[in-house]
Amino acid sequence: MNLNLGGSTVLLTCGASGIGRAVAAAFRAEGAHVSVLDRGPRPAGESTGVLWHQGDVTDEATVARTVKQTVARFGGLDVAVGCAMASGPMGEPTTRIRPDEFSHPVAVNLTGHFLLAKHAARAMYDSGGGSVVMVGSVSSVVSAPGTVPYCAANGGVLMLTRALAVDLDAHGIRVNCVCPRTMDTPLSRMNLGLAKASSDSQRPAPLPQGVVRSILFFASPASAGINGAAQILDFGGLAHPFPSMRAPTPLS
């Protein structure tokens, strides 16, 4: 399928590794102009064709400046992709979570996405519309013990997507999100304390490229009729019974 993304301008957050870096490479391969906002410097080997901005996605002035510089460089903004993600404490019971541990993933995952959409929308008004794609998590819709801050933040991403879709629809701006399960990324490996991420021994964590195609589809004119949607990319995980409901393995 031709996604017709060649020549479009894309701004994404958290493009130095994981899903964000894979997304940036995919848009470049489609012929798009790519601008990245990340708290880290340009990674070694990253194309100099990518416009790189080092800064904090939770700082409004930084996000506003990044959008302005992107528009000045490429002449407009067509797509914004929010890939910024923070997990917060994992495996901690609610009674041990400090307020700052709760607020950090909310600031990055939720406020960061909101600021990107807010300032991207202003730029998209001038070009007649655009597409915003947010990266949430399967934890936007289900939970597990010890993941309260992460689930709260990502549940917010899901409703933020729907609310923005309603607010921005009249301006020709679509807002959708993808909600992947645990992916094999540096952040997931760190959270799990593993050399290779895996959320289920029978279903190893997939690579970020498995999510990239959905993000590009939502960003493209091919998904023009889709707005306010959330695509759960759990590779069949929610279709399986919960562990407590699974039938016991027959004895040989």
Side-chain angles (χ1 to χ4, degrees):
M1 177 185 294
N2 183 0
L3 295 176
N4 293 313
L5 290 167
S8 60
T9 298
V10 180
L11 170 60
L12 64 96
T13 57
C14 197
S17 66
I19 293 174
R21 190 166 190 183
V23 170
F27 274 112
R28 287 272 294 164
E30 290 285 332
H33 304 297
V34 176
S35 178
V36 170
L37 171 61
D38 194 284
R39 66 179 181 178
R42 183 190 300 270
E46 179 62 68
S47 170
T48 56
V50 173
L51 183 61
W52 199 270
H53 314 264
Q54 187 173 353
D56 186 349
V57 299
T58 69
D59 180 70
E60 182 164 18
T62 297
V63 176
R65 183 172 61 251
T66 298
V67 170
K68 185 176 181 179
Q69 291 173 348
T70 299
V71 171
R73 172 72 175 272
F74 299 119
L77 182 63
D78 304 294
V79 177
V81 183
C83 297
M85 185 69 64
S87 56
M90 303 296 281
E92 286 292 322
T94 300
T95 52
R96 295 182 183 174
I97 298 171
R98 301 191 310 269
D100 63 297
E101 291 178 321
F102 182 87
S103 62
H104 178 60
V106 172
V108 175
N109 304 8
L110 187 54
T111 304
H113 282 2
F114 164 71
L115 292 176
L116 175 66
K118 173 183 175 180
H119 291 280
R122 287 176 172 171
M124 290 174 181
Y125 289 170
D126 298 332
S127 56
S131 175
V132 178
V133 186
M134 299 184 176
V135 178
S137 166
V138 70
S139 295
S140 297
V141 294
V142 295
S143 185
T147 60
V148 169
Y150 186 68
C151 289
N154 282 291
V157 171
L158 177 60
M159 286 310 301
L160 176 65
T161 297
R162 292 171 174 167
L164 288 171
V166 172
D167 251 20
L168 301 177
D169 182 53
H171 301 282
I173 300 172
R174 298 182 298 110
V175 187
N176 295 289
C177 72
V178 295
C179 300
R181 57 172 287 193
T182 300
M183 309 297 293
D184 189 356
T185 66
L187 178 63
S188 296
R189 296 176 196 173
M190 179 183 70
N191 290 336
L192 297 171
L194 300 172
K196 186 174 183 180
S198 178
S199 56
D200 188 304
S201 60
Q202 296 184 4
R203 294 190 298 279
L207 295 171
Q209 286 76 6
V211 179
V212 169
R213 289 185 292 273
S214 292
I215 293 174
L216 264 64
F217 173 71
F218 276 137
S220 75
S223 63
I226 304 175
N227 193 20
Q231 185 178 40
I232 298 174
L233 297 163
D234 68 341
F235 301 86
L238 294 182
H240 290 260
F242 290 101
S244 61
M245 297 172 62
R246 291 176 180 168
T249 303
L251 297 175
S252 56

PDB file of all heavy atoms in Angstrom, residues 8 30 91 118-119 129 155 163 188 192 196 200 218 225 230 249:
ATOM      1  N   SER A   8       5.928  14.797   3.277  1.00  0.00           N
ATOM      2  CA  SER A   8       5.235  15.309   4.459  1.00  0.00           C
ATOM      3  C   SER A   8       6.239  15.611   5.567  1.00  0.00           C
ATOM      4  O   SER A   8       7.367  15.129   5.554  1.00  0.00           O
ATOM      5  CB  SER A   8       4.191  14.302   4.959  1.00  0.00           C
ATOM      6  OG  SER A   8       4.816  13.077   5.315  1.00  0.00           O
ATOM      7  N   GLU A  30       9.971   6.472   3.961  1.00  0.00           N
ATOM      8  CA  GLU A  30       8.799   6.827   3.151  1.00  0.00           C
ATOM      9  C   GLU A  30       8.999   8.149   2.416  1.00  0.00           C
ATOM     10  O   GLU A  30       8.137   8.573   1.655  1.00  0.00           O
ATOM     11  CB  GLU A  30       7.555   6.921   4.047  1.00  0.00           C
ATOM     12  CG  GLU A  30       7.069   5.595   4.590  1.00  0.00           C
ATOM     13  CD  GLU A  30       6.366   4.751   3.561  1.00  0.00           C
ATOM     14  OE1 GLU A  30       5.783   5.332   2.608  1.00  0.00           O
ATOM     15  OE2 GLU A  30       6.399   3.509   3.676  1.00  0.00           O
ATOM     16  N   GLY A  91       6.138  -2.777  40.056  1.00  0.00           N
ATOM     17  CA  GLY A  91       6.134  -3.812  41.076  1.00  0.00           C
ATOM     18  C   GLY A  91       5.951  -3.299  42.489  1.00  0.00           C
ATOM     19  O   GLY A  91       5.959  -4.082  43.445  1.00  0.00           O
ATOM     20  N   LYS A 118      -1.176  20.000  21.418  1.00  0.00           N
ATOM     21  CA  LYS A 118      -1.595  21.405  21.487  1.00  0.00           C
ATOM     22  C   LYS A 118      -0.827  22.273  20.502  1.00  0.00           C
ATOM     23  O   LYS A 118      -1.425  23.029  19.715  1.00  0.00           O
ATOM     24  CB  LYS A 118      -1.380  21.923  22.912  1.00  0.00           C
ATOM     25  CG  LYS A 118      -1.609  23.425  23.080  1.00  0.00           C
ATOM     26  CD  LYS A 118      -1.296  23.880  24.499  1.00  0.00           C
ATOM     27  CE  LYS A 118      -1.419  25.399  24.628  1.00  0.00           C
ATOM     28  NZ  LYS A 118      -1.123  25.854  26.019  1.00  0.00           N
ATOM     29  N   HIS A 119       0.479  22.170  20.510  1.00  0.00           N
ATOM     30  CA  HIS A 119       1.276  23.054  19.661  1.00  0.00           C
ATOM     31  C   HIS A 119       1.350  22.554  18.218  1.00  0.00           C
ATOM     32  O   HIS A 119       1.453  23.377  17.295  1.00  0.00           O
ATOM     33  CB  HIS A 119       2.654  23.243  20.283  1.00  0.00           C
ATOM     34  CG  HIS A 119       2.597  24.051  21.541  1.00  0.00           C
ATOM     35  ND1 HIS A 119       2.516  25.422  21.540  1.00  0.00           N
ATOM     36  CD2 HIS A 119       2.553  23.669  22.844  1.00  0.00           C
ATOM     37  CE1 HIS A 119       2.436  25.864  22.785  1.00  0.00           C
ATOM     38  NE2 HIS A 119       2.456  24.829  23.599  1.00  0.00           N
ATOM     39  N   GLY A 129      -4.982  20.972   8.178  1.00  0.00           N
ATOM     40  CA  GLY A 129      -5.227  19.727   8.895  1.00  0.00           C
ATOM     41  C   GLY A 129      -3.976  18.899   9.055  1.00  0.00           C
ATOM     42  O   GLY A 129      -2.875  19.309   8.669  1.00  0.00           O
ATOM     43  N   GLY A 155      -3.887   5.133  30.772  1.00  0.00           N
ATOM     44  CA  GLY A 155      -5.336   5.249  30.668  1.00  0.00           C
ATOM     45  C   GLY A 155      -5.722   6.664  30.277  1.00  0.00           C
ATOM     46  O   GLY A 155      -6.644   6.886  29.478  1.00  0.00           O
ATOM     47  N   ALA A 163     -10.704  12.756  23.423  1.00  0.00           N
ATOM     48  CA  ALA A 163     -11.121  14.140  23.648  1.00  0.00           C
ATOM     49  C   ALA A 163     -10.522  15.083  22.606  1.00  0.00           C
ATOM     50  O   ALA A 163     -11.214  15.979  22.090  1.00  0.00           O
ATOM     51  CB  ALA A 163     -10.713  14.579  25.058  1.00  0.00           C
ATOM     52  N   SER A 188      11.889  -1.229  28.270  1.00  0.00           N
ATOM     53  CA  SER A 188      11.288  -2.465  28.766  1.00  0.00           C
ATOM     54  C   SER A 188      12.337  -3.360  29.414  1.00  0.00           C
ATOM     55  O   SER A 188      12.100  -3.967  30.465  1.00  0.00           O
ATOM     56  CB  SER A 188      10.605  -3.220  27.614  1.00  0.00           C
ATOM     57  OG  SER A 188       9.535  -2.483  27.093  1.00  0.00           O
ATOM     58  N   LEU A 192      12.262  -4.591  33.343  1.00  0.00           N
ATOM     59  CA  LEU A 192      12.180  -6.015  33.644  1.00  0.00           C
ATOM     60  C   LEU A 192      13.488  -6.594  34.163  1.00  0.00           C
ATOM     61  O   LEU A 192      13.532  -7.742  34.592  1.00  0.00           O
ATOM     62  CB  LEU A 192      11.733  -6.790  32.388  1.00  0.00           C
ATOM     63  CG  LEU A 192      10.341  -6.442  31.857  1.00  0.00           C
ATOM     64  CD1 LEU A 192      10.109  -7.102  30.504  1.00  0.00           C
ATOM     65  CD2 LEU A 192       9.265  -6.878  32.841  1.00  0.00           C
ATOM     66  N   LYS A 196      16.962  -9.127  27.408  1.00  0.00           N
ATOM     67  CA  LYS A 196      15.999  -9.110  26.310  1.00  0.00           C
ATOM     68  C   LYS A 196      14.610  -9.121  26.916  1.00  0.00           C
ATOM     69  O   LYS A 196      14.292  -9.977  27.745  1.00  0.00           O
ATOM     70  CB  LYS A 196      16.193 -10.319  25.383  1.00  0.00           C
ATOM     71  CG  LYS A 196      15.321 -10.284  24.137  1.00  0.00           C
ATOM     72  CD  LYS A 196      15.671 -11.432  23.201  1.00  0.00           C
ATOM     73  CE  LYS A 196      14.852 -11.352  21.915  1.00  0.00           C
ATOM     74  NZ  LYS A 196      15.179 -12.451  20.979  1.00  0.00           N
ATOM     75  N   ASP A 200       5.886 -12.570  28.411  1.00  0.00           N
ATOM     76  CA  ASP A 200       5.241 -13.871  28.499  1.00  0.00           C
ATOM     77  C   ASP A 200       6.189 -14.892  27.907  1.00  0.00           C
ATOM     78  O   ASP A 200       6.633 -14.732  26.772  1.00  0.00           O
ATOM     79  CB  ASP A 200       3.914 -13.860  27.732  1.00  0.00           C
ATOM     80  CG  ASP A 200       3.108 -15.146  27.951  1.00  0.00           C
ATOM     81  OD1 ASP A 200       3.654 -16.231  27.684  1.00  0.00           O
ATOM     82  OD2 ASP A 200       1.952 -15.028  28.356  1.00  0.00           O
ATOM     83  N   PHE A 218      -1.903   5.229  10.619  1.00  0.00           N
ATOM     84  CA  PHE A 218      -2.712   6.286  11.236  1.00  0.00           C
ATOM     85  C   PHE A 218      -2.252   7.673  10.795  1.00  0.00           C
ATOM     86  O   PHE A 218      -3.059   8.606  10.711  1.00  0.00           O
ATOM     87  CB  PHE A 218      -2.645   6.191  12.758  1.00  0.00           C
ATOM     88  CG  PHE A 218      -3.604   5.213  13.368  1.00  0.00           C
ATOM     89  CD1 PHE A 218      -3.193   4.362  14.385  1.00  0.00           C
ATOM     90  CD2 PHE A 218      -4.918   5.149  12.956  1.00  0.00           C
ATOM     91  CE1 PHE A 218      -4.079   3.464  14.974  1.00  0.00           C
ATOM     92  CE2 PHE A 218      -5.822   4.257  13.527  1.00  0.00           C
ATOM     93  CZ  PHE A 218      -5.390   3.407  14.540  1.00  0.00           C
ATOM     94  N   GLY A 225     -10.543   8.067   7.282  1.00  0.00           N
ATOM     95  CA  GLY A 225     -11.841   7.908   7.933  1.00  0.00           C
ATOM     96  C   GLY A 225     -11.760   7.501   9.388  1.00  0.00           C
ATOM     97  O   GLY A 225     -12.795   7.276  10.031  1.00  0.00           O
ATOM     98  N   ALA A 230      -8.358   3.744  19.044  1.00  0.00           N
ATOM     99  CA  ALA A 230      -7.211   3.153  19.720  1.00  0.00           C
ATOM    100  C   ALA A 230      -7.027   1.732  19.185  1.00  0.00           C
ATOM    101  O   ALA A 230      -7.960   0.929  19.253  1.00  0.00           O
ATOM    102  CB  ALA A 230      -7.420   3.124  21.228  1.00  0.00           C
ATOM    103  N   THR A 249      -2.320 -27.861  32.413  1.00  0.00           N
ATOM    104  CA  THR A 249      -1.645 -28.661  31.394  1.00  0.00           C
ATOM    105  C   THR A 249      -1.816 -30.138  31.701  1.00  0.00           C
ATOM    106  O   THR A 249      -1.552 -30.580  32.837  1.00  0.00           O
ATOM    107  CB  THR A 249      -0.140 -28.321  31.349  1.00  0.00           C
ATOM    108  OG1 THR A 249       0.001 -26.925  31.109  1.00  0.00           O
ATOM    109  CG2 THR A 249       0.573 -29.100  30.273  1.00  0.00           C
TER     110      THR A 249
END
